[in-house]
Every structure is written in C-alpha cells, then in structure tokens.
Amino acid sequence: MAGRARLDDAPERLVQAAIGLLAEQGPSAVKARTVASASGLSTMVVYSHFGGIPELMRAVADHGFKELSAAFARVPVTEDPIADLFALALTCRRVARENPHLYDLMFGLSTRATYRPLSDADLRFSGHSPAFREAHALVTAACERLVDSGRVERQEPEVIAAQLWSLVHGYITLELAEHFVEFEDAVVEVMLPMGVNFSVGLGDERERAEASHEVGARLYESIAHDR
C-alpha cells in the first residue's frame, strides 16, 4: 500500500520537483533524471505519467497558473475597482518575483528548449490552458466591475483585461530583466504612474485614479503582510 501511495502522488511530486529546480537552478537543470532524483522517483515514472519533459513543463505551467489564481482570489473585492486591479497587478508581480523562471515558463518568455510548447496547438500551455483562463477570468471580472462603476468609458471588459494584462506583464518582464535599476523604487516611479495613465486613458479622472492606486497599494500591502 505504501508503494501505491507513493505512485498515486507521483504527478504532483514531479511537478513540485520541477518547480524547485526552476527556482534554484533555472530551466537548464530540468531533465528527466534530475526531476526524478529531486522527487525520489525513477526516470521511468516521468515518462509514464507525462510522456516527456515538454508535457511535464506544461503541467508545471498549469500549476503556476493555479497558484496565480489562488493568489488573485485572496485579493478582496472592494468598492474601488481600480484599487482592486492595482492590487491584482502587484500580486502578479510578487508571484513572478518569487520564481522568475516559472513565470517565464507560464508566459512563454523563454527560448530554451525545455520551455518551447508542444507543436500540437491543443496541448500548448498558453492562452488555451484552462488554468490560465481561470486566472485571467478574475482579472476580467475586475474589469467588468470597473466598467459597471461608470468611472471609465463603456467598453468590453475583455478588451480592457487584455490591455491591462499586456501592460502589467510588460512591466514585470522588464523589471525581472533589471531594466529599471536606475529607479530607487520602480513600482512607485514606473508601475503606479503607468497604471494611473492607463486608467485616465480609459476615461477616469486623474486625481481619482491616483487616489485609487494609492488605495490599491495599501490593500496589497495588507494582504502581503498577512501571508
């Protein structure tokens, strides 16, 4: 029975082992034998459960999106949708900084072979992934609340979500690549005013947008403090 229990949780153990290797050593460390060794399982178990490293990495990316969804779900829904959105943006940044290599994998930012998606579009871990769609749906719901609030011009929440997703992940990608080292606090000097400008572009009043982003920063800090 003990042996069966060990095999029943093998997929999760393999995924967690791969995540650990990514965090500690980067993508070049993720190989069938290293994942097997880190999980205490045999190399054959990697292939029997996932078929190979590309399929395992797809499962790792999906796990990352599930963790991102869980982090988003911990952000309270308040009466200020712009504050909520900025708190979500800061949450996404934190998740990315905790394991940058996993973030790269999730969003297809690496050119390393172990990150390349499978050729079959139905198996890719990009926007087709249900795990990604779940995380993205929480952002879209916040954008829908923003539109319903009347603070911005009426437009499709899905479009706003896509624009905001692009803006936030562009910032995160550049920050992780250390393009903002000249700033003492890039969040305050770059990310926050960028969010304000985005909100104003959607139709919000600048002073109100600035106040909401300050509220969102405090909301995020309260959540991060309680973790």
Side-chain angles (χ1 to χ4, degrees):
M1 293 295 292
R4 173 61 64 88
R6 284 172 60 83
L7 290 178
D8 285 346
D9 68 355
E12 178 64 17
R13 288 167 62 184
L14 293 169
V15 166
Q16 289 297 336
I19 290 173
L21 288 167
L22 282 172
E24 295 167 8
Q25 303 179 47
S28 62
V30 182
K31 301 179 176 64
R33 61 177 176 78
T34 57
V35 172
S37 176
S39 62
L41 299 167
S42 69
T43 303
M44 184 58 65
V45 176
V46 177
Y47 293 107
S48 63
H49 280 284
F50 292 103
I53 290 299
E55 294 88 347
L56 171 61
M57 300 310 279
R58 177 166 56 89
V60 169
D62 279 347
H63 184 90
F65 283 122
K66 290 174 183 176
E67 290 295 314
L68 181 60
S69 291
F72 281 169
R74 288 191 286 272
V75 176
V77 175
T78 74
E79 296 181 355
D80 189 333
I82 289 183
D84 295 352
L85 283 167
F86 192 55
L88 289 172
L90 291 171
T91 297
C92 189
R93 173 182 178 267
R94 173 182 56 77
V95 169
R97 288 168 63 87
E98 287 176 349
N99 193 337
H101 289 300
L102 176 58
Y103 171 83
D104 287 350
L105 171 64
M106 291 161 60
F107 291 97
L109 298 178
S110 175
T111 58
R112 294 182 182 271
T114 52
Y115 279 9
R116 291 174 187 159
L118 301 175
S119 58
D120 186 342
D122 291 336
L123 297 177
R124 293 179 183 174
F125 50 68
S126 59
H128 299 286
S129 163
F132 166 79
R133 300 309 305 173
E134 180 181 349
H136 193 265
L138 294 171
V139 177
T140 303
C143 291
E144 185 172 358
R145 294 195 298 273
L146 173 60
V147 173
D148 291 342
S149 73
R151 289 182 59 174
V152 300
E153 297 176 5
R154 177 145 305 265
Q155 49 201 295
E156 291 298 324
E158 293 80 5
V159 174
I160 298 177
Q163 293 172 353
L164 183 61
W165 198 259
S166 302
L167 179 146
V168 170
H169 290 290
Y171 170 87
I172 292 172
T173 301
L174 291 171
E175 184 183 43
L176 290 178
E178 300 184 350
H179 285 284
F180 300 139
V181 292
E182 69 273 23
F183 295 100
E184 183 176 348
D185 187 336
V187 170
V188 172
E189 297 177 74
V190 179
M191 189 179 187
L192 190 152
M194 181 172 62
V196 171
N197 290 337
F198 179 74
S199 301
V200 172
L202 291 175
D204 197 22
E205 298 176 359
R206 179 167 295 277
E207 185 174 346
R208 194 174 185 185
E210 290 174 346
S212 289
H213 278 74
E214 294 290 346
V215 171
R218 292 195 296 272
L219 176 61
Y220 167 76
E221 289 297 334
S222 68
I223 300 166
H225 184 268
D226 293 337
R227 290 179 66 234

